């Protein structure tokens, strides 16, 4: 059920976020200067760093979702974790985050979200995750912890991309979504 649930989400999004995850892993993992790393990310192929990253992140998502779906209200926790993944966009698009290129999705999102709006969005997500954690584990505090881990992973990725690439790209946005969802799922499943 967990594999089908994660697979359905991937299918509905046309795997665009996973493509971004693989491209970001290849670009950041290449060790090349920013311009060359951005070229690597723009290519259509997937290198070894991208493949391994996809396996690990999808494995974490599926294994964690399997644990959660075995619990009462687990479907709610999985759904909210996937929604929290999309909350990575407000972290990546917050004011002060530059775009790596002048074109593309990263340029549209970069610095478009006021910091207060990003904090407010994650406060709402943390509250919803607290309710899901309470229903699935009896420990409400796992929800805000999961939210903090997810937002932290997104912020770390954005920082790494900004340092190495000069800012975010559409691929970095997709990677942030997948990493954040994985982080939230792992914490909720650990409870």
């Amino acid at each position: 059920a967990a594999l089908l649930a994660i697979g359905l989400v991937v299918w509905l999004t046309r795997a665009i976020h996973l493509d971004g995850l693989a491209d970001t892993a290849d670009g950041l993992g290449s060790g090349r200067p920013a311009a060359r790393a951005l070229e690597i990310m723009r290519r259509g192929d997937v290198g070894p760093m991208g493949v391994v990253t996809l396996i690990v992140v999808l494995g974490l998502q599926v294994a964690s979702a399997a644990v959660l779906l075995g619990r009462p209200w687990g479907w709610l926790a999985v759904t909210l974790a996937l929604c929290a993944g999309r909350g990575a966009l407000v972290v990546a698009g917050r004011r002060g985050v530059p775009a790596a290129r002048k074109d593309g999705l990263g340029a549209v999102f970069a610095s478009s979200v006021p910091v207060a709006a990003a904090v407010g969005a994650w406060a709402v997500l943390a509250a919803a995750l607290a309710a899901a954690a309470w229903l699935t584990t009896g420990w409400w505090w796992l929800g805000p912890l999961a939210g903090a881990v997810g937002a932290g992973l997104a912020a770390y990725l954005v920082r790494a991309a900004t340092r190495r690439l000069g800012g975010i790209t559409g691929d970095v946005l997709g990677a942030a979504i997948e990493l954040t969802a994985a982080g939230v799922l792992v914490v909720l499943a650990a409870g």
Side-chain angles (χ1 to χ4, degrees):
L3 184 58
L4 291 175
I6 298 299
L8 177 62
V9 172
V10 169
W11 180 76
L12 289 172
T13 60
R14 307 227 191 284
I16 192 76
H17 305 136
L18 291 175
D19 176 63
L21 177 65
D23 289 345
T24 300
D26 284 338
L28 292 178
S30 72
R32 303 290 168 92
R36 180 69 180 119
L38 287 168
E39 285 177 33
I40 290 169
M41 291 169 67
R42 196 172 276 221
R43 291 191 325 222
D45 60 344
V46 178
M49 291 291 288
V51 170
V52 171
T53 301
L54 287 172
I55 291 168
V56 171
V57 170
L58 283 171
L60 288 170
Q61 288 180 358
V62 170
S64 299
V67 169
L68 290 168
L69 290 174
R71 297 178 182 164
W73 293 94
W75 61 269
L76 177 63
V78 171
T79 301
L80 288 174
L82 295 174
C83 290
R86 277 66 185 162
L89 294 175
V90 298
V91 174
R94 72 188 182 284
R95 295 264 159 85
V97 175
R101 299 183 182 109
K102 294 187 187 296
D103 63 341
L105 196 55
V108 172
F109 269 88
S111 292
S112 65
V113 179
V115 173
V119 170
W122 273 94
V124 170
L125 279 169
L129 289 167
W134 180 73
L135 289 169
T136 58
T137 68
W139 298 330
W140 67 269
W141 53 269
L142 273 177
L145 177 61
V149 167
L153 286 169
Y156 177 78
L157 177 63
V158 167
R159 183 172 181 221
T162 300
R163 292 174 105 184
R164 289 266 299 112
L165 307 173
I168 61 168
T169 65
D171 286 331
V172 173
L173 295 172
I177 288 170
E178 294 298 335
L179 284 176
T180 299
V184 172
L185 283 165
V186 166
V187 173
L188 289 176

